[in-house]
Amino acid sequence: TAGLMFGGFVPPYSNATESYNGSSWTTSPYTLNTARFVTMGCGTSTAALCFGGLKSPSNALSADSEEYDGEGWTSGNSMNTARESTGQAGIQTAALAFGGYTTTYSAATEAYNGTSWTNVNSMNTARFSLGGAGTQTSAVAYGGNTGSMSAATETWDGSSWTTSPVSLATARYH
C-alpha cells in the first residue's frame, strides 16, 4: 500500500519521484538532485535511499547517494566506488550495495550506516544487474550478468558472502 519510484530512463534520464498508495501513482513535487538511470534504492516510501547509477547527460558512473524523507531528497555521502546496476538490501540507515558494473563486473560490497559508506567483504562472483533482498545483516543476492545469465545465489550474514547450493530455476538478469 506504499511504494516509491525514482529516477530512470524516460528518455532522457529522469530525476522524477512518484509515490504509490496501493491503488494509484502520484507524481511527487520532490525530485532527485541528480537525474539518473540504472540507480538502486532501498527503504520505505518515507525513508528511502537512492545510490549509484549513470548520471545525465554525460552517462558517467555515479557514486552519489541521496536520502528521501517523504518531503524531499537530500544529498548524502558518496559510495566508495561509482557503479551502476548493483544489488541492494536494507533500509535508509542500514543499507547494503553489492555487485554492479564499473568498467567491468564487480563483486564489491559496501555498507551504509545512514551517514557513510564502508567497504566490506566482496561477493564470491562478480556480476551486475542482479537481484537483492533482505537486511544489512542478512541478505541474499541472486541471478545477474557475469558475461552470461547467472542463476547463482549468495547469502550475506552481516560479515561475509557464502555461495548457496540453491540456484534460481532459470538464470536471469535485470
Side-chain angles (χ1 to χ4, degrees), residues 50-70:
C50 171
F51 49 91
L54 294 173
K55 291 190 228 186
S56 179
S58 65
N59 211 31
L61 288 167
S62 174
D64 298 343
S65 66
E66 298 183 38
E67 295 181 2
Y68 183 73
D69 64 4

Side-chain angles (χ1 to χ4, degrees), residues 66-80:
E66 298 183 38
E67 295 181 2
Y68 183 73
D69 64 4
E71 296 184 10
W73 289 96
T74 304
S75 293
N77 288 318
S78 296
M79 299 173 70
N80 294 301

Side-chain angles (χ1 to χ4, degrees), residues 14-98:
S14 176
N15 64 349
T17 300
E18 294 188 35
S19 60
Y20 183 70
N21 65 8
S23 61
S24 64
W25 288 94
T26 302
T27 301
S28 170
Y30 311 112
T31 58
L32 288 168
N33 295 304
T34 303
R36 291 185 256 173
F37 171 59
V38 291
T39 186
M40 299 311 294
C42 58
T44 68
S45 63
T46 57
L49 179 67
C50 171
F51 49 91
L54 294 173
K55 291 190 228 186
S56 179
S58 65
N59 211 31
L61 288 167
S62 174
D64 298 343
S65 66
E66 298 183 38
E67 295 181 2
Y68 183 73
D69 64 4
E71 296 184 10
W73 289 96
T74 304
S75 293
N77 288 318
S78 296
M79 299 173 70
N80 294 301
T81 303
R83 52 193 158 147
E84 51 112 333
S85 301
T86 68
Q88 78 290 329
I91 60 175
Q92 184 188 64
T93 57
L96 205 60
F98 41 91

Side-chain angles (χ1 to χ4, degrees), residues 94-106:
L96 205 60
F98 41 91
Y101 188 83
T102 56
T103 56
T104 187
Y105 309 137
S106 176

